[in-house]
Amino acid sequence: MTTTREKDVVALLIDQHNQIKAMFTQLETATGDHRRELFEDLVRLLAVHETAEEEIVHPVARKKIQGGDAIIDARLREEDEEKRLLSELYDLGPDNPGFGAKFRQLKEAVLEHAGREEREEFSTLRTAVDPEQLRKMGNAVMMAEKTAPTRPHPGAPESAIGNLLAGPPLAVFDRIRDAMRDATKSKK
């Protein structure tokens, strides 16, 4: 059986897309503390997932797939819009009466984006990049996620270099906030 560490980057990211889809579905019916926790988990997963894609996957796709620049530029525009929506939702909070409509807008945008990535980028990467490099990229994505910001930062650059420069300070700040939130929860 293949472990997560052995998965190639395409399998890893598709698994994350499926996890994100499941979280959206769960959030639609969740309430109270469970809803807040699910939303925090979704925010974190989306933030680290997109950062890792921007740092590891998109640069390779630009070089290796036909029409890579146009495809990646379109995905980056979508990711920027998703970060803006996610940031607005985060500021609103899941208990706000306006959360539902904006949440549905985010869900639609994220699911359409994931579908385009899988069709236009991931499937082509599978044929354009050798399996060993795809496995190495999977490991690199997992490492990048460990140091990525855990919240959306719409003003942050949408590129590998931008993420490498802005990401670590933002990640430290986010992870301190996460630790403070978790400590507050454990005292309740």
Side-chain angles (χ1 to χ4, degrees), residues 69-135:
D69 283 335
I71 290 169
I72 299 309
D73 287 346
R75 296 302 75 79
L76 290 174
R77 283 190 299 276
E78 293 164 2
E79 290 168 8
D80 187 51
E81 176 62 16
E82 291 164 19
K83 285 179 187 176
R84 186 189 58 74
L85 285 169
L86 191 59
S87 181
E88 290 173 11
L89 272 172
Y90 185 80
D91 290 344
L92 277 178
D95 298 327
N96 187 293
F99 182 86
K102 193 162 289 289
F103 175 78
R104 286 185 292 279
Q105 185 181 1
L106 174 70
K107 178 183 176 184
E108 182 179 319
V110 167
L111 297 182
E112 286 176 8
H113 169 77
R116 282 193 280 282
E117 276 184 336
E118 290 174 17
R119 284 187 311 276
E120 299 173 10
E121 186 176 358
F122 298 170
S123 64
T124 310
L125 274 176
R126 268 231 200 273
T127 59
V129 177
D130 73 79
E132 181 59 25
Q133 184 179 357
L134 291 174
R135 277 191 293 280

